[in-house]
Structures are given as C-alpha cells and as structure tokens.
Amino acid sequence: MKKIACLLFLVTNLFSFGQIMHKRKLNMLGSPFEMTVIAKDTVQGNQFCNLAIAEVKRIENLISDWIPTTQISQVNKNAGIKSIKVDKEVFDLVERAIKVSQITSGAFDISYASMDKIWKFDGSMKEMPTEEAIKKSVSKIGYKNIILNPKEQTLFLKTEGMKLGLGGIGQGYIADKVKELLKSKGCISGIVNVSGDINTWGKQIDGKLWTVAIVNPMNKNKVFATFPLEDSAVETSGSYEKFVIFNGIRYSHIIDPRTGYPAKGVVSVSVFAKQTEIADALATGIFVLGVEVGLDLVNQLKGIECIIVDDKGKIHSSKGIDVKKME
C-alpha cells in the first residue's frame, strides 16, 4: 500500500508541474460571479475566464426576464395573447423547470415572476398584508398554465399578466453550461460560482478535490461542515439575512408561490447534485416544502443530497450525508 501511495503522490505532483490557479471575480446577472481555473499560465487562464464570461452573456440574452429583447421577455409580453417560438435550449430549460414544479408539488414555480410583491423585507413593513391581498398576489401564478408545444417549439402563457422568471434555475443552468464549455476547450479543472451556485470539475493543483464549506446561518463566522466536491455541484438558499417577524413568527423572503405566504421553519437549504441546475431549483422548492417534506422528497431522488438548517438552528440532512462525520 505504501508503494501505491507514493506512486500516486508522484503522479499528482508530476501533473501539477507548470500549472497555475487563475481567478476572476466580477458582477454578472446582478450578482457576484467568480471563476477559478487551473491553467498552464496566466494567458490561458484569462482565455478560459473570457470564454466563461461570454457564455454567461450569451445565455443571459436568451433567458433574462429583465432584458426586453430576450426570448423569455417576448413570451412574457405575449402572455394570454399568442405563443412564441424559442430556441431549443430555452424550450428544454422551461420544460425541465416544469418537471421540478411537478415533483415539488408547485413549491418551485418559474411563473412566480407574476407575483404582486406585497411583502417587503427592507424594514419598512409594519404589519402583515391582508389575507385577501396575499391571495390576490399569487392569482396569476401557476406552472400548469405554461403551455409547451414540442412540435412547434413554442411557449405560451395562458393567463394575461403571467410572467416567467428563470432566476431560480437559470443561474444553476449557466454554471453547468460554463463548466461544459470550458471542459470542451481543454480546461482540466475549475470552479464556477454564479452567486452561490457552485459547480466543480477536476482537482486542485496539489491533487486534492475542491472543497466547499457550509456556513452556519445562525453564526456566519462558523463553518459546521466542509465537503469535497468531485465533479459535482452545490447550491444554498437562505433566509438568514432577509426576513420579517410578526406575532413572534419568522417569515422568510422566500415566498411559497402556491399560497403567497413566506416559507416558515427553515433558514438554510444546501443541495448537492451532479448539476447545479437541479441543485438550484430543488433548493428553493425544498425551502418552501419545509424540513420533513423536503427531506422525504430528497431521499427519493437518486444522486441528490441536502442539508437543512431550521429556524431553531438544528441541522437536518438526507440519508446520504452524515454531518457529524464532516464537522
């Protein structure tokens, strides 16, 4: 065993010779974007990062709902009027988003963008919105009213005023596409971080796996677990910074699209998966579903694991994760 270990050590160092770790940080999609790549030199590192940035912009100009010229904006503009033909890439992403809506019983829903924003989490809210206002705020939400026509490759929103927002799945999708592109261009290792949607591939220069630390949402200076990521992804949804308290009940900024009420009982959800897209969408859905239902769902999904921190600070994890061993 010792001979094998030494051989592996030498091979690892042999491959690390002449490599550098190159990083780029900037704001994209209205959020922090960070690219880390292993490259032979700074020139190649910059080339990889430039490719990543171009890919982010390409997808943003397809799926953003705040850029008026995108295909998703055109779909939104024609809600209740007519169907819009979109690229296969956009059609497939919406189709996959609807599948996540189905498995989460609507707790994740890309038509949430049509919600009337009656909850304020900037400190200005002094009382709960009325039951009538809350009900009205979600009246135009409903993934079942997104009509897909695979033959014509069109999207149609049945209700006037409906609006799609792909923020809850799009950032994860972008992270996956950046990884896919860079691997195809010869980048052997890296991390793409789109506002907390993290996907990794390859290893660090020293041969070790990339490692992600999960911060305790009740104490951001404390890490309660670290996880090695082997060609896989993680996404965390949290409400520890944006919330309101009424009658002693804590309401998060993550709204249940089925009811209009903020999700309760959870402050953080971290989802581990092979693809950031599914981790991104499921993290939101699980947050809304809550600890018990969320864990039950994850435990039925192959290749998916999660950690949930409830509003009492208690840590819950899916069957494949032993948090105590990772601390």
mmCIF file of all heavy atoms in Angstrom, residues 12-21 38-41 188-189 203-206:
data_model
loop_
_atom_site.group_PDB
_atom_site.id
_atom_site.type_symbol
_atom_site.label_atom_id
_atom_site.label_comp_id
_atom_site.label_asym_id
_atom_site.label_seq_id
_atom_site.Cartn_x
_atom_site.Cartn_y
_atom_site.Cartn_z
ATOM 1 N N THR A 12 0.617 12.836 -8.990
ATOM 2 C CA THR A 12 -0.110 14.073 -8.705
ATOM 3 C C THR A 12 0.812 15.280 -8.881
ATOM 4 O O THR A 12 0.450 16.266 -9.514
ATOM 5 C CB THR A 12 -0.655 14.051 -7.258
ATOM 6 O OG1 THR A 12 -1.541 12.956 -7.136
ATOM 7 C CG2 THR A 12 -1.420 15.325 -6.947
ATOM 8 N N ASN A 13 2.002 15.187 -8.336
ATOM 9 C CA ASN A 13 2.923 16.307 -8.431
ATOM 10 C C ASN A 13 3.438 16.505 -9.847
ATOM 11 O O ASN A 13 3.664 17.627 -10.269
ATOM 12 C CB ASN A 13 4.106 16.104 -7.474
ATOM 13 C CG ASN A 13 3.746 16.534 -6.067
ATOM 14 O OD1 ASN A 13 3.804 17.701 -5.750
ATOM 15 N ND2 ASN A 13 3.344 15.593 -5.236
ATOM 16 N N LEU A 14 3.576 15.400 -10.569
ATOM 17 C CA LEU A 14 4.034 15.478 -11.946
ATOM 18 C C LEU A 14 3.042 16.288 -12.782
ATOM 19 O O LEU A 14 3.405 17.163 -13.553
ATOM 20 C CB LEU A 14 4.185 14.064 -12.520
ATOM 21 C CG LEU A 14 4.797 13.944 -13.920
ATOM 22 C CD1 LEU A 14 6.236 14.402 -13.905
ATOM 23 C CD2 LEU A 14 4.706 12.511 -14.418
ATOM 24 N N PHE A 15 1.772 16.013 -12.575
ATOM 25 C CA PHE A 15 0.743 16.705 -13.334
ATOM 26 C C PHE A 15 0.554 18.154 -12.871
ATOM 27 O O PHE A 15 0.054 18.974 -13.607
ATOM 28 C CB PHE A 15 -0.596 15.961 -13.242
ATOM 29 C CG PHE A 15 -0.684 14.811 -14.206
ATOM 30 C CD1 PHE A 15 -0.525 13.505 -13.774
ATOM 31 C CD2 PHE A 15 -0.899 15.047 -15.548
ATOM 32 C CE1 PHE A 15 -0.595 12.451 -14.668
ATOM 33 C CE2 PHE A 15 -0.971 13.997 -16.452
ATOM 34 C CZ PHE A 15 -0.810 12.701 -16.014
ATOM 35 N N SER A 16 0.970 18.458 -11.630
ATOM 36 C CA SER A 16 0.799 19.824 -11.137
ATOM 37 C C SER A 16 1.928 20.732 -11.595
ATOM 38 O O SER A 16 1.852 21.936 -11.489
ATOM 39 C CB SER A 16 0.721 19.831 -9.602
ATOM 40 O OG SER A 16 1.967 19.472 -9.056
ATOM 41 N N PHE A 17 2.989 20.119 -12.160
ATOM 42 C CA PHE A 17 4.132 20.911 -12.591
ATOM 43 C C PHE A 17 3.722 21.838 -13.761
ATOM 44 O O PHE A 17 3.110 21.415 -14.725
ATOM 45 C CB PHE A 17 5.279 19.990 -13.043
ATOM 46 C CG PHE A 17 6.503 20.732 -13.476
ATOM 47 C CD1 PHE A 17 7.355 21.296 -12.551
ATOM 48 C CD2 PHE A 17 6.794 20.889 -14.828
ATOM 49 C CE1 PHE A 17 8.489 21.975 -12.943
ATOM 50 C CE2 PHE A 17 7.920 21.568 -15.229
ATOM 51 C CZ PHE A 17 8.768 22.116 -14.287
ATOM 52 N N GLY A 18 4.062 23.134 -13.626
ATOM 53 C CA GLY A 18 3.771 24.062 -14.714
ATOM 54 C C GLY A 18 2.324 24.512 -14.780
ATOM 55 O O GLY A 18 1.882 24.998 -15.821
ATOM 56 N N GLN A 19 1.581 24.378 -13.682
ATOM 57 C CA GLN A 19 0.185 24.818 -13.667
ATOM 58 C C GLN A 19 0.009 25.966 -12.677
ATOM 59 O O GLN A 19 0.745 26.079 -11.700
ATOM 60 C CB GLN A 19 -0.738 23.668 -13.271
ATOM 61 C CG GLN A 19 -0.832 22.568 -14.317
ATOM 62 C CD GLN A 19 -1.755 21.443 -13.868
ATOM 63 O OE1 GLN A 19 -1.892 21.201 -12.679
ATOM 64 N NE2 GLN A 19 -2.380 20.781 -14.813
ATOM 65 N N ILE A 20 -0.979 26.785 -12.948
ATOM 66 C CA ILE A 20 -1.323 27.860 -12.018
ATOM 67 C C ILE A 20 -2.825 27.844 -11.752
ATOM 68 O O ILE A 20 -3.596 27.304 -12.543
ATOM 69 C CB ILE A 20 -0.921 29.247 -12.552
ATOM 70 C CG1 ILE A 20 -1.726 29.577 -13.835
ATOM 71 C CG2 ILE A 20 0.572 29.357 -12.797
ATOM 72 C CD1 ILE A 20 -1.814 31.051 -14.126
ATOM 73 N N MET A 21 -3.213 28.421 -10.606
ATOM 74 C CA MET A 21 -4.635 28.628 -10.337
ATOM 75 C C MET A 21 -4.950 30.074 -10.675
ATOM 76 O O MET A 21 -4.319 30.993 -10.160
ATOM 77 C CB MET A 21 -4.967 28.342 -8.869
ATOM 78 C CG MET A 21 -6.468 28.335 -8.661
ATOM 79 S SD MET A 21 -7.072 28.151 -6.962
ATOM 80 C CE MET A 21 -5.890 27.187 -6.141
ATOM 81 N N ILE A 38 -7.725 26.008 -13.418
ATOM 82 C CA ILE A 38 -6.334 25.556 -13.424
ATOM 83 C C ILE A 38 -5.865 25.662 -14.875
ATOM 84 O O ILE A 38 -6.499 25.125 -15.785
ATOM 85 C CB ILE A 38 -6.204 24.095 -12.928
ATOM 86 C CG1 ILE A 38 -6.749 23.964 -11.499
ATOM 87 C CG2 ILE A 38 -4.750 23.633 -12.996
ATOM 88 C CD1 ILE A 38 -6.068 24.807 -10.456
ATOM 89 N N ALA A 39 -4.760 26.382 -15.084
ATOM 90 C CA ALA A 39 -4.265 26.621 -16.443
ATOM 91 C C ALA A 39 -2.748 26.503 -16.472
ATOM 92 O O ALA A 39 -2.095 26.486 -15.425
ATOM 93 C CB ALA A 39 -4.700 28.009 -16.903
ATOM 94 N N LYS A 40 -2.188 26.460 -17.685
ATOM 95 C CA LYS A 40 -0.736 26.323 -17.784
ATOM 96 C C LYS A 40 -0.022 27.653 -17.504
ATOM 97 O O LYS A 40 1.131 27.675 -17.096
ATOM 98 C CB LYS A 40 -0.337 25.778 -19.153
ATOM 99 C CG LYS A 40 -0.699 26.659 -20.330
ATOM 100 C CD LYS A 40 -0.322 25.992 -21.648
ATOM 101 C CE LYS A 40 -0.691 26.888 -22.837
ATOM 102 N NZ LYS A 40 -0.393 26.215 -24.129
ATOM 103 N N ASP A 41 -0.762 28.768 -17.760
ATOM 104 C CA ASP A 41 -0.190 30.089 -17.472
ATOM 105 C C ASP A 41 -1.323 31.121 -17.403
ATOM 106 O O ASP A 41 -2.488 30.800 -17.633
ATOM 107 C CB ASP A 41 0.856 30.495 -18.523
ATOM 108 C CG ASP A 41 0.328 30.383 -19.950
ATOM 109 O OD1 ASP A 41 -0.891 30.615 -20.155
ATOM 110 O OD2 ASP A 41 1.120 30.064 -20.859
ATOM 111 N N ILE A 188 -8.898 21.538 -17.655
ATOM 112 C CA ILE A 188 -8.978 20.257 -16.955
ATOM 113 C C ILE A 188 -9.575 20.356 -15.552
ATOM 114 O O ILE A 188 -9.991 19.359 -14.970
ATOM 115 C CB ILE A 188 -7.591 19.581 -16.856
ATOM 116 C CG1 ILE A 188 -6.595 20.496 -16.112
ATOM 117 C CG2 ILE A 188 -7.067 19.218 -18.232
ATOM 118 C CD1 ILE A 188 -5.295 19.819 -15.722
ATOM 119 N N SER A 189 -9.616 21.583 -15.008
ATOM 120 C CA SER A 189 -10.091 21.718 -13.637
ATOM 121 C C SER A 189 -10.543 23.141 -13.355
ATOM 122 O O SER A 189 -9.962 24.101 -13.858
ATOM 123 C CB SER A 189 -8.958 21.339 -12.671
ATOM 124 O OG SER A 189 -9.393 21.437 -11.332
ATOM 125 N N LYS A 203 -9.373 18.613 -10.222
ATOM 126 C CA LYS A 203 -8.815 18.737 -8.873
ATOM 127 C C LYS A 203 -7.935 19.976 -8.770
ATOM 128 O O LYS A 203 -7.566 20.584 -9.769
ATOM 129 C CB LYS A 203 -8.007 17.487 -8.522
ATOM 130 C CG LYS A 203 -8.862 16.225 -8.414
ATOM 131 C CD LYS A 203 -8.021 15.011 -8.101
ATOM 132 C CE LYS A 203 -8.908 13.773 -8.000
ATOM 133 N NZ LYS A 203 -8.126 12.552 -7.732
ATOM 134 N N GLN A 204 -7.592 20.306 -7.537
ATOM 135 C CA GLN A 204 -6.681 21.414 -7.294
ATOM 136 C C GLN A 204 -5.266 21.030 -7.731
ATOM 137 O O GLN A 204 -4.982 19.867 -8.009
ATOM 138 C CB GLN A 204 -6.686 21.777 -5.807
ATOM 139 C CG GLN A 204 -8.054 22.209 -5.295
ATOM 140 C CD GLN A 204 -8.014 22.563 -3.828
ATOM 141 O OE1 GLN A 204 -7.365 23.517 -3.431
ATOM 142 N NE2 GLN A 204 -8.730 21.797 -3.014
ATOM 143 N N ILE A 205 -4.374 22.009 -7.756
ATOM 144 C CA ILE A 205 -3.001 21.760 -8.212
ATOM 145 C C ILE A 205 -2.316 20.686 -7.378
ATOM 146 O O ILE A 205 -1.542 19.883 -7.889
ATOM 147 C CB ILE A 205 -2.178 23.073 -8.195
ATOM 148 C CG1 ILE A 205 -2.673 23.982 -9.327
ATOM 149 C CG2 ILE A 205 -0.685 22.792 -8.373
ATOM 150 C CD1 ILE A 205 -1.999 25.344 -9.380
ATOM 151 N N ASP A 206 -2.625 20.645 -6.065
ATOM 152 C CA ASP A 206 -1.983 19.645 -5.197
ATOM 153 C C ASP A 206 -2.630 18.268 -5.306
ATOM 154 O O ASP A 206 -2.271 17.350 -4.569
ATOM 155 C CB ASP A 206 -1.974 20.121 -3.739
ATOM 156 C CG ASP A 206 -3.378 20.339 -3.182
ATOM 157 O OD1 ASP A 206 -4.359 20.027 -3.893
ATOM 158 O OD2 ASP A 206 -3.496 20.832 -2.045
#
